[in-house]
């Protein structure tokens, strides 16, 4: 226990001393029978709990808790999180001063308890005006490896990664969309543990490590979306990958209808993968087992159940419920790491609906760097001649589509205020002169930001959402960045 804890306040706002903090924690330990130790910048409560036998809970039982008041400790936090179920371990990140660092990890004994904690405690008002954030916490065991020679096969990549790093379990290699005999220039390497993956990343990350004479790119892979079993039991959409680009939706529908004529409702194909919607779930599950590994137009396909992602919840977190009512589907499907590497992150896809014409979402541009050799010929180009998928930020998207509609550029007006704890908070108001005389003269989000870049990006995203609603111009796909309050 840290006897040097600085004075804190309890839930009633009364100041309590370090001695009182210690007494409260000792009372919690005595009441629950859990042990508590502090090491490596974190304080562990439990792990395992009293009377626990067997291995720790499986992956998916831990949640991340953010925005914890810095003067709040286990004696207040543990009772709150016990509402969702039995706690296996509670890890509170600590400062040297004795304050917490604003976040913690809570491991439950089952996945169901962890999911319940997310449902009932995310955005929970832990103190008056103080809301915590709770989401799933997964130990990432997968690395992204880029700049791999495209002629290398999966077996070669697996053997090479086992030679240079320890704990390799598998590699995931996707064939090129245009030439199925080649890979896409990147792979995902699965390790036996998060620690093994972290050690491998540490070894490979400096940028000087080479495989087959090539300097590789290394980063954490984006974790797959976790979907609860109850939701997956309702899915009647199949995700089909490794298709030929030339394969049509009609061909895919015909192939999957061979299993049960008329069973397929519709097919949506994007580049070399597709989503096959069935009228009946049982037909979808049966077709998955029959069609997985089959050949269509000479390509061996992979078929799995599509994983639904709730766009509404994500946008509520992002813009506090500012959801476009014109969105055709609030449920989209995301499966595995798709056709583009995670080298520098992925941009949200933006579909434009200009002059009433729906343009399909183009494939994302691979975000990575290439060497610039002396003598390389450069050609002047206007940003407005590019396609929308070349832009990564909402600010650029807004400027681009104003230009496409022959509008003058958006005008940004910066405002500020001060938070209760003295921080400078910023917000932008956006005016688009071409539509300023319409139903809305300006656009301003209802969130304040601590940095100029975040404030501008948030305002642009907010504007795009409202343009979708007011003018039927845009449809923003799932946002990857979660803005913190």
């Amino acid at each position: 226990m840290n006897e040097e804890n600085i004075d804190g306040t309890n839930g009633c706002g009364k100041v309590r001393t370090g001695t009182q903090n210690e007494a409260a924690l000792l009372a919690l330990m005595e009441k629950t029978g859990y042990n508590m130790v502090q090491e490596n910048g974190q304080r562990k409560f439990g792990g395992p709990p009293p009377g626990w036998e067997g291995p720790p809970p499986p992956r998916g039982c831990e949640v991340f808790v953010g925005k914890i008041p810095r003067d709040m400790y286990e004696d207040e936090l543990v009772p709150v999180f016990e509402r969702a179920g039995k706690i296996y371990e509670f890890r509170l990140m600590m400062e040297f001063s004795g304050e917490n660092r604003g976040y913690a990890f809570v491991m439950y004994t089952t996945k169901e308890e962890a999911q319940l904690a997310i449902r009932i405690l995310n955005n929970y008002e832990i103190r008056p005006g103080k809301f915590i954030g709770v989401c799933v916490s997964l130990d990432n065991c997968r690395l992204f490896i880029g700049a791999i020679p495209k002629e290398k096969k999966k077996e070669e990549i697996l053997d090479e990664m086992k030679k240079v790093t320890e704990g390799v379990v598998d590699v995931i290699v996707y064939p090129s969309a245009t030439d199925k005999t080649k890979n896409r220039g990147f792979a995902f390497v699965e390790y036996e543990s998060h620690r093994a993956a972290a050690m491998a990343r540490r070894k490979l990350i400096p940028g000087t490590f080479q495989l087959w004479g090539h300097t590789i790119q290394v980063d954490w892979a984006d974790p797959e979306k976790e979907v609860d079993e109850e939701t997956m039991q309702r899915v009647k959409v199949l995700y089909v990958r490794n298709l030929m680009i030339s394969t049509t939706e009609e061909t895919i529908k015909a192939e999957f209808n061979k299993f049960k004529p008329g069973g397929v409702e519709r097919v949506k194909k994007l580049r070399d993968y597709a989503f096959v919607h069935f009228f009946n779930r049982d037909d979808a599950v049966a077709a998955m087992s029959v069609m997985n590994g089959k050949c269509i137009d000479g390509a061996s396909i992979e078929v799995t159940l599509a994983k639904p992602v709730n766009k509404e919840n994500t946008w509520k977190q992002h813009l506090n419920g500012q959801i476009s009512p014109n969105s055709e589907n609030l449920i989209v499907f995301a499966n595995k790491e798709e056709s583009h590497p995670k080298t520098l992150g992925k941009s949200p896809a933006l579909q434009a609906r200009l002059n009433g014409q729906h343009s399909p979402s183009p494939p994302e541009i691979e975000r990575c760097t290439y060497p610039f050799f002396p003598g390389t010929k450069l050609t002047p180009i206007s940003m407005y001649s590019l396609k929308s998928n070349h832009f990564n930020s909402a600010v650029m998207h807004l400027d681009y589509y104003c230009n496409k509609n022959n509008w003058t550029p958006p005008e940004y007006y910066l405002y500020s205020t001060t938070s209760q704890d003295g921080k400078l908070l910023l917000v932008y108001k956006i005016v688009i002169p071409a539509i300023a005389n319409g139903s809305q003269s300006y656009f301003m989000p209802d969130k304040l930001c601590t940095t100029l870049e975040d404030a501008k990006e948030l305002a642009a995203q907010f504007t795009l959402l409202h343009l979708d609603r007011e003018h039927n111009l845009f449809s923003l796909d799932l946002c990857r960045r979660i803005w913190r309050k």
Side-chain angles (χ1 to χ4, degrees), residues 6-20:
I6 63 171
D7 290 352
T9 59
N10 62 15
C12 300
K14 296 179 181 179
V15 175
R16 73 182 191 186
T17 66
T19 302
Q20 289 173 322

Side-chain angles (χ1 to χ4, degrees), residues 105 125 137 172 324 327 364 371 424 442:
F105 296 89
E125 190 171 13
S137 169
I172 301 168
S324 165
S327 298
E364 292 178 351
L424 181 67
Y442 67 89

